Amino acid sequence: MPAARESLLDAAYTALARRPWSAVRMVDVAALAGVSRQTLYNEFGSKEGLARALVRREADAYLAGVERALTGPADPGAGARDRLTATAEWTASIARDNVLVRALLTGCWSERLPAPTLSAVPSSAAVPAQRRADGPLPSPGDFVALVRDRAVTVLSGTGAAKSDVAEMSRTCELAVRLALSCVAAPPGEGGIADLVGSVLRPSKAAVWN
């Protein structure tokens, strides 16, 4: 993403942390980023376009973190439990810390936040990144499916039987949904790792690893 666009999205997120989205002004976002207001409009087209781009970026950042958790643990020999635990912990952590990711994952948009429609909007943007932002945004159900399917792909390998993959899909989805539940009600002693372990049966873990 070009530096100016990234700086503008950072500025928009900073502005949102200080005041409700309805009170965020385009001129203030441009000033925070150190660029002209015309540059801001050239990049996003409108405040609605800026909101969609900001939400799209946070969604992408969440999914990038999921990918790291599933494929890049510190221990290259980490098994299914460790990878699912890392994914669940990442999900709970970013949902606690990032108001836009929390809204995307739960569907609960407060009055302080932008609330772009999840369906695609007509786009005449010349900037490819903005045309993508103007496309469909993921719903909570979409995120669950995206994370579940990616986890199954990473954990199943090429030799898993169909019955194992079906069981894995159910387990991965449950792990994601448990992580989301921890956002509203933090787990007690043992944390997310114990919750993930409780749904990952040893016999299945051995097949996946």
Side-chain angles (χ1 to χ4, degrees):
M1 183 179 292
R5 185 178 179 89
E6 187 68 21
S7 295
L8 285 163
L9 291 173
D10 287 342
Y13 192 90
T14 298
L16 177 61
R18 297 173 179 172
R19 60 183 70 91
W21 183 252
S22 60
V24 173
R25 301 187 306 165
M26 295 288 271
V27 64
D28 295 331
V29 172
L32 276 171
V35 302
S36 70
R37 186 169 58 173
Q38 187 59 51
T39 297
L40 175 59
Y41 279 100
N42 288 346
E43 197 66 43
F44 302 101
S46 65
K47 187 178 179 182
E48 173 65 15
L50 175 61
R52 293 189 70 85
L54 182 59
V55 170
R56 179 76 259 181
R57 183 183 73 161
E58 302 312 306
D60 289 345
Y62 165 66
L63 292 172
V66 167
E67 185 71 13
R68 290 192 298 272
L70 286 170
T71 64
D75 177 6
R81 174 172 175 158
D82 291 337
R83 292 172 190 268
L84 280 179
T85 297
T87 301
E89 288 176 337
W90 164 250
T91 296
S93 173
I94 192 172
R96 283 194 302 265
D97 297 340
N98 187 310
V99 293
L100 290 176
V101 172
R102 183 163 63 247
L104 280 163
L105 291 175
T106 63
C108 297
W109 296 84
S110 77
E111 294 181 356
R112 290 187 54 86
L113 301 178
T117 59
L118 297 183
S119 57
V121 298
S123 180
S124 58
V127 178
Q130 188 58 38
R131 290 198 297 273
R132 180 169 180 265
D134 289 338
L137 296 170
S139 69
D142 292 333
F143 277 111
V144 171
L146 286 167
V147 176
R148 177 200 65 208
D149 292 349
R150 184 58 185 141
V152 170
T153 298
V154 170
L155 299 176
S156 65
T158 58
K162 287 185 178 181
S163 59
D164 292 327
V165 173
E167 175 71 14
M168 187 184 309
S169 181
R170 288 189 290 270
T171 300
C172 290
E173 179 165 338
L174 182 55
V176 176
R177 293 186 182 278
L178 281 172
L180 293 177
S181 74
C182 292
V183 176
E189 187 176 353
I192 291 178
D194 278 359
L195 291 175
V196 172
S198 70
V199 300
L200 187 58
R201 293 188 296 173
S203 60
K204 291 301 180 184
V207 171
W208 301 359
N209 292 334

